[in-house]
Amino acid sequence: VYLLCLHYPDLKRPFEFYENYVDYPDLKRELEWSLFSNETFEHCSKLNHPLGIKKDYRVYGSSNGLVCISDDKLDTKSPIHIWNPSVRKFRTLPMSTNHNVKFRYIALQFGFHPGVNDYKVVRMLRVHKDDAFAVEVYSLSTDSWKMVEEHPLWLKCTWQNHRGTFYNGVAYHIIEKFPLFSIMSFDSGSEKFEEFIAPDAIRCWSRLYIEVYKDQICLLYYLRLFHCEEAGMSQIEFWVLQEKRWKQMRPFIYPSNDYFVVGFSIDNELLMEKSNYGNALYLCNYESKQDRQTGIELAV
């Protein structure tokens, strides 16, 4: 029911143009985390790191009021915390056995797995040695990590930590298999992998987002301005995963070409960011095509 945002003090950016960010070397230390209402966008409360640490940190997932945080620049030695901001309590995860591994890519995800009634943290690594792929799963109930030993052949040497999401205990990632793309799923309970070939229209991972819409995994893919049939509008192609197949939905049409997907809200409204207007947030209703603007100016 809340938006957890990294923002500028007093919710105002202290410079006019985004390019001038380099002129403010101390600005990043002034950024703040706060909770905002997901309906009115009003400021609810300011948050501090549970350990009182000033260094930058990042949210790697949230579920049922619990938030997984770690270093902004993630490393195998980065401390990982599961935090309840409402009651100001947290747990620091034990260090995994892979904390000295040299890696090329690393990803961290968190969420609740209803099938095993447990909270899971999934960490994926593409290590330098033999370009191997590694997966570790942390279980809150046992407070321990487990290495997943078996990986499918199609996954080796393909994972590069493009965008992903975590839903019902399953981690999803975009896999690039030039010139095609696929979606990898990993169930943190059964430790099973699956692959779903992406629609042929997808040709660029940087314009592809994987989200959850009405309890279904979905793909959002930006088309360039001139591909939209409506003049002066931009278009997002939209698919949902149903019975292991991608079903194409009505595209999302929106004005201008300056919106970026943040994700879907619990009410299935699309949260978007308009970067050339002070990084304002827009909450857009997919069915009605209406939107609401926030007064939050983000640090992107």
Side-chain angles (χ1 to χ4, degrees):
V1 297
Y2 293 103
L3 297 174
L4 179 58
C5 300
L6 177 66
H7 61 89
Y8 297 101
D10 301 322
L11 308 183
K12 294 297 181 181
R13 187 163 52 179
F15 49 87
E16 183 176 359
F17 298 105
Y18 183 77
E19 292 81 5
N20 291 340
Y21 184 87
V22 295
D23 297 332
Y24 293 83
D26 295 328
L27 179 61
K28 205 168 186 181
R29 286 198 290 254
E30 299 177 3
L31 299 178
E32 300 173 355
W33 285 94
S34 291
L35 293 176
F36 295 82
S37 167
N38 73 334
E39 294 182 351
T40 64
F41 302 119
E42 292 180 355
H43 184 270
C44 297
S45 63
K46 180 181 176 181
L47 298 175
N48 296 314
H49 192 288
L51 295 177
I53 299 173
K54 294 296 184 181
K55 66 184 295 187
D56 299 323
Y57 65 100
R58 178 179 167 188
V59 173
Y60 290 91
S62 65
S63 182
N64 300 327
L66 299 183
V67 179
C68 180
I69 62 174
S70 188
D71 293 343
D72 182 36
K73 294 183 178 179
L74 199 60
D75 190 272
T76 53
K77 296 182 180 179
S78 296
I80 303 170
H81 312 282
I82 297 177
W83 176 34
N84 187 329
S86 298
V87 297
R88 304 295 198 269
K89 292 183 178 181
F90 69 96
R91 173 179 291 186
T92 300
L93 275 57
M95 196 71 70
S96 79
T97 57
N98 276 339
H99 62 275
N100 288 321
V101 172
K102 294 182 178 180
F103 63 93
R104 294 180 61 188
Y105 306 103
I106 184 170
L108 189 66
Q109 293 170 289
F110 165 78
F112 180 73
H113 195 308
V116 297
N117 192 33
D118 199 1
Y119 289 91
K120 300 284 187 176
V121 176
V122 175
R123 188 167 71 173
M124 296 186 180
L125 301 165
R126 178 104 169 258
V127 299
H128 278 297
K129 183 180 179 181
D130 300 326
D131 216 21
F133 176 70
V135 179
E136 301 171 294
V137 178
Y138 168 85
S139 300
L140 184 63
S141 61
T142 61
D143 192 29
S144 63
W145 290 93
K146 180 183 178 182
M147 177 69 70
V148 178
E149 302 293 344
E150 297 185 6
H151 312 129
L153 292 176
W154 54 263
L155 183 55
K156 294 180 179 180
C157 299
T158 59
W159 184 80
Q160 297 181 16
N161 190 23
H162 296 323
R163 293 188 182 96
T165 192
F166 195 91
Y167 179 65
N168 277 348
V170 181
Y172 295 87
H173 282 265
I174 298 169
I175 302 294
E176 186 173 4
K177 293 183 173 182
F178 186 82
L180 301 177
F181 292 85
S182 65
I183 304 302
M184 175 207 77
S185 72
F186 170 71
D187 190 313
S188 61
S190 65
E191 300 179 0
K192 300 297 183 183
F193 294 86
E194 278 193 88
E195 181 182 24
F196 308 97
I197 303 300
D200 292 339
I202 296 172
R203 287 291 182 267
C204 177
W205 75 264
S206 64
R207 291 189 277 131
L208 176 63
Y209 292 79
I210 179 169
E211 301 290 344
V212 179
Y213 177 72
K214 292 186 175 180
D215 297 320
Q216 300 174 102
I217 295 299
C218 70
L219 297 178
L220 298 160
Y221 185 64
Y222 285 93
L223 289 182
R224 298 191 183 279
L225 188 63
F226 52 82
H227 286 153
C228 185
E229 296 180 358
E230 299 185 29
M233 306 292 282
S234 293
Q235 180 172 324
I236 298 179
E237 293 297 320
F238 188 33
W239 296 267
V240 296
L241 187 62
Q242 295 183 347
E243 298 180 351
K244 299 187 178 183
R245 294 180 179 272
W246 297 108
K247 179 181 179 181
Q248 188 163 15
M249 311 293 284
R250 172 179 56 83
F252 186 82
I253 308 295
Y254 59 96
S256 85
N257 201 29
D258 301 305
Y259 289 85
F260 299 92
V261 168
V262 176
F264 282 101
S265 73
I266 196 171
D267 297 319
N268 298 303
E269 292 185 303
L270 185 62
L271 186 64
M272 303 185 75
E273 173 198 345
K274 196 169 185 181
S275 63
N276 67 342
Y277 284 88
N279 295 98
L281 289 178
Y282 283 76
L283 198 57
C284 312
N285 188 294
Y286 173 73
E287 305 294 339
S288 67
K289 300 182 183 180
Q290 295 179 343
D291 62 67
R292 304 196 302 276
Q293 181 178 354
T294 79
I296 306 170
E297 297 197 5
L298 300 176
V300 179

